[in-house]
Amino acid sequence: MTDPRPAPILVADSPGLDFLNSVATPVDTEVDWIGSGEDLIAWLLQAGLVTPEAIADMRKAAAPGEFDAVAAQARKLREWFRGFVKAHKGRPLKPKVLQELQPLNRILMRDEGFGQVVSREPGRRKPGGAGEDDAPVSGLVWRPQRRWRSPDALLFPIAKAMAELVCDEDFGQVKACEGHRCTLMFVDRTRGRARRWCSMAVCGNRAKQAAHRERVSRARK
């Protein structure tokens, strides 16, 4: 059966915020892209946070209903993190908020991440200054990896994306879309930090149309 829902909305410029946006109201009705275990898998694949190979391995050992149970945990994590982001967006985070992030750290402690030395992709070079392209470059590179022992490991890349948001981003640039009824959030990377909408093609266009109707209405009075 074809999924009647639109594709997941990935406009936040941050995987951690994209996960918060996995429940939204793109038109008139709220859509939750993580309503089930299969939904969670589909969203993670779409967002590039898990590989098809990892999913295939987990399916071999998963018990009936296990992915659905993890999806329920993911939704709970999502709404907890939404409360944190809403409470602190618009200003840089201070060390005193660390206590509020203990639920996130408890998940991260369970992650079985590791790394391996692998072949560098052809054409890839180390970042560096002028002349780096002419310098000898190792054909090897360090690549982070993860053991996917059970379906609850699907929470780990989500938690990592949230950790990267709070550690690497300026929360002063985290914004909520100004669109009517829109719940989407994003990191504003525009020059002058002038972004107001999740998307100019959606909420931005709606705002322009509403402003135009208002001007026409005033002109007729």
Side-chain angles (χ1 to χ4, degrees):
M1 182 180 296
T2 303
D3 191 340
R5 296 172 299 185
I9 300 173
L10 304 173
V11 298
D13 209 12
S14 161
L17 289 181
D18 278 329
F19 185 67
L20 294 190
N21 294 342
S22 64
V23 58
T25 307
V27 184
D28 297 315
T29 305
E30 183 179 90
V31 176
D32 192 338
W33 283 273
I34 307 183
S36 69
E38 291 303 316
D39 285 348
L40 175 61
I41 290 170
W43 189 90
L44 289 168
L45 288 169
Q46 182 78 20
L49 295 182
V50 67
T51 65
E53 293 77 16
I55 296 298
D57 287 343
M58 281 185 282
R59 287 192 189 279
K60 296 174 183 177
E66 198 168 359
F67 285 113
D68 288 338
V70 175
Q73 295 178 59
R75 292 192 298 271
K76 184 177 180 181
L77 176 64
R78 180 181 66 190
E79 297 317 308
W80 163 79
F81 194 58
R82 187 187 311 282
F84 177 87
V85 173
K86 282 188 173 182
H88 297 288
K89 68 179 176 65
R91 60 186 186 276
L93 292 177
K94 303 295 183 182
K96 64 181 181 180
V97 307
L98 183 59
Q99 186 61 35
E100 298 177 47
L101 293 170
Q102 289 310 303
L104 178 60
N105 275 336
R106 283 195 290 270
I107 295 175
L108 292 167
M109 285 176 63
R110 293 156 41 199
D111 192 356
E112 294 193 68
F114 64 101
Q116 288 195 319
V117 177
V118 299
S119 297
R120 185 181 299 274
E121 294 179 23
R124 287 288 185 91
R125 292 185 177 274
K126 295 179 182 178
E132 182 70 25
D133 287 345
D134 299 325
V137 174
S138 170
L140 305 175
V141 65
W142 172 264
R143 179 176 297 166
Q145 298 191 19
R146 174 179 285 111
R147 293 183 178 89
W148 303 93
R149 297 192 185 277
S150 63
D152 69 351
L154 293 177
L155 296 176
F156 301 153
I158 297 170
K160 181 174 181 290
M162 293 176 175
E164 289 173 343
L165 174 67
V166 300
C167 294
D168 299 338
E169 298 289 356
D170 178 357
F171 253 55
Q173 298 172 17
V174 174
K175 295 182 178 180
C177 178
E178 297 180 18
H180 178 62
R181 295 188 63 197
C182 186
T183 60
L184 300 181
M185 288 190 275
F186 54 85
V187 177
D188 184 0
R189 303 190 192 283
T190 61
R191 182 176 298 177
R193 305 294 179 252
R195 183 176 174 184
R196 300 175 59 194
W197 319 108
C198 60
S199 168
M200 281 304 300
V202 182
C203 286
N205 188 52
R206 289 174 183 169
K208 287 183 178 180
Q209 291 177 350
H212 175 71
R213 289 194 296 269
E214 178 66 21
R215 288 194 298 270
V216 171
S217 178
R218 288 200 304 266
R220 289 174 177 173
K221 293 180 180 179

